[in-house]
Amino acid sequence: MPNTRRFARRPSSRKPTLAQRADPHDCYQRAVQCVGAEIDFVDETFSAIRGRQAVRLREDFCGTANTSCEWVRRRSRNLAIGMDLDAPTLEWGKAHNLSTLTKSQRARIDLRQSDVLVEHPDLRGTLDMVLAMNFSYWIFQKRETLLAYFRRVREDLAPDGMLFMDAYGGFDALKLFKERRKIPRASQGEPSVHGFNTPFTYIWDQHSYNPITGELVCKIHFQFPDGSKLRDAFVYTWRLWGLREVRDVLEEAGFRRTTAYWEGDDDEGGGNGEFTASEQGESCASWICYVSAEK
Ligand SMILES: C[S@@+](CC[C@H](N)C(=O)[O-])C[C@H]1O[C@@H](n2cnc3c(N)ncnc32)[C@H](O)[C@@H]1O
């Protein structure tokens, strides 16, 4: 008699785990990015300061170009240039983000596989906004490299162009810890790869910090309801830059004015998502803010 028990168990033991089925870029976009709010902020701030609407935006360190897609969706004149070193990440963005755009929207995005430090002569003096979000510029650990990057951006901006970045800090930024956040199933219209749509836990791992060099290693892991895990889905080796120093380097690069936008409080002592220009921050456990630099 055949061993039916053994036979029956085989398929389930071969069933891929949720972590094996998950796509790290999809999880990243769902857990980390909020491109709508980011574009609202830069669009409104640029208009308020410059008295006109921005058209040409470059998303530096664009990854999957999620923000560039949001920009070209906003207005039919908007143009986006996305720049990233990593070809597979750009390809993923084309296949999963650009593919959701209309033909006319797609025609207004130009993705370039490039180091953001490299000169693109056709861009010189042409950009209304350059974005360097999710702390991506912290990849530059040396002051002279950060300065070279800011000089590159300034040269590529139009005469009234602006650079926008974010930063984080607070005394928790120096600590080694893991923070978990539950991410629900994506609702309709949100990105989710090939219909695979599972809730998961996002884990932010502040993995190491060297107080002598300022080097900070942060990791992102994802954990799924079946217990499986995508460990080290993303690993960042950064310098933990202070806001004051970033603004000093921007001024050295020739930017006329820099502004920090501090987040307001909600009723429970957290951030309320409203960022206002300010020179007075608060020494709290953790903060996130935006910075703008005007050419
Ligand atoms: C933290 S992700 C940022 C993704 C996206 N911008 C966001 O807001 O979530 C960092 C990206 O920067 C890219 N990158 C790192 N160094 C770079 C460089 N020198 N020039 C261009 N891209 C770079 C990596 O390939 C990666 O896709």
Side-chain angles (χ1 to χ4, degrees):
M1 202 175 139
N3 183 343
T4 48
R5 233 182 119 218
R6 232 179 103 219
F7 188 72
R9 276 168 60 179
R10 258 189 208 143
S12 70
S13 66
R14 269 200 238 115
K15 200 174 150 196
T17 63
L18 290 172
Q20 284 167 334
R21 290 179 62 203
D23 184 309
H25 290 302
D26 178 50
C27 295
Y28 177 91
Q29 291 192 166
R30 283 168 57 195
V32 176
Q33 291 190 304
C34 188
V35 295
E38 190 173 297
I39 288 294
D40 284 348
F41 176 78
V42 298
D43 199 21
E44 284 163 20
T45 307
F46 183 91
S47 299
I49 292 178
R50 295 311 200 194
R52 69 176 182 94
Q53 283 183 329
V55 176
R56 287 173 63 85
L57 172 149
R58 189 173 78 204
E59 183 189 6
D60 281 353
F61 314 95
C62 70
T64 60
N66 202 11
T67 305
S68 295
C69 289
E70 180 64 15
W71 181 245
V72 299
R73 273 194 294 263
R74 284 294 166 104
R75 285 190 290 275
S76 60
R77 287 187 315 142
N78 285 358
L79 302 167
I81 294 137
M83 224 175 248
D84 200 283
L85 269 181
D86 193 55
T89 305
L90 288 170
E91 285 307 317
W92 191 99
K94 281 184 200 160
H96 298 94
N97 290 336
L98 273 72
S99 62
T100 67
L101 300 175
T102 65
K103 210 172 155 190
S104 125
Q105 290 165 346
R106 221 168 23 242
R108 290 182 278 109
I109 295 195
D110 173 5
L111 292 190
R112 301 188 184 189
Q113 188 201 346
S114 171
D115 189 323
V116 295
L117 293 170
V118 168
E119 184 180 359
H120 289 244
D122 61 315
L123 297 183
R124 186 182 283 234
T126 67
L127 303 169
D128 296 325
M129 298 201 280
V130 172
L131 312 189
M133 295 297 190
N134 268 319
F135 328 110
S136 308
Y137 62 97
W138 287 4
I139 191 97
F140 301 131
Q141 296 206 24
K142 285 193 149 184
R143 197 179 195 282
E144 65 188 269
T145 321
L146 189 65
L147 180 61
Y149 171 59
F150 289 159
R151 285 193 168 133
R152 168 84 278 114
V153 170
R154 191 177 170 278
E155 215 165 77
D156 291 344
L157 286 169
D160 66 346
M162 290 179 67
L163 166 64
F164 288 92
M165 298 174 292
D166 53 9
Y168 80 82
F171 41 90
D172 272 359
L174 303 171
K175 289 208 292 209
L176 307 187
F177 67 94
K178 288 196 182 92
E179 183 182 79
R180 290 158 193 274
R181 186 157 44 87
K182 287 203 183 307
I183 307 298
R185 212 176 286 280
S187 52
Q188 249 192 347
E190 280 184 67
S192 181
V193 177
H194 303 311
F196 175 69
N197 185 359
T198 177
F200 60 89
T201 302
Y202 159 84
I203 304 166
W204 175 249
D205 176 0
Q206 240 158 242
H207 196 74
S208 70
Y209 174 67
N210 180 344
I212 295 177
T213 62
E215 186 178 278
L216 173 72
V217 176
C218 294
K219 301 180 171 192
I220 292 176
H221 320 286
F222 302 111
Q223 186 162 24
F224 299 89
D226 64 355
S228 60
K229 228 177 180 184
L230 261 181
R231 273 179 224 280
D232 296 350
F234 297 93
V235 178
Y236 306 109
T237 305
W238 286 332
R239 168 161 166 192
L240 180 62
W241 285 93
L243 261 188
R244 180 64 263 170
E245 188 159 21
V246 168
R247 294 175 74 192
D248 286 348
V249 181
L250 285 165
E251 279 160 27
E252 197 175 326
F255 284 92
R256 216 185 285 262
R257 190 162 72 127
T258 69
T259 307
Y261 302 83
W262 199 254
E263 193 177 10
D265 296 330
D266 66 12
D267 295 339
E268 285 141 33
N272 65 1
E274 297 286 326
F275 293 84
T276 318
S278 179
E279 284 299 322
Q280 185 58 61
E282 190 193 332
S283 177
C284 52
S286 66
W287 50 260
I288 285 189
C289 80
Y290 285 116
V291 177
S292 72
E294 295 161 47
K295 185 164 175 177

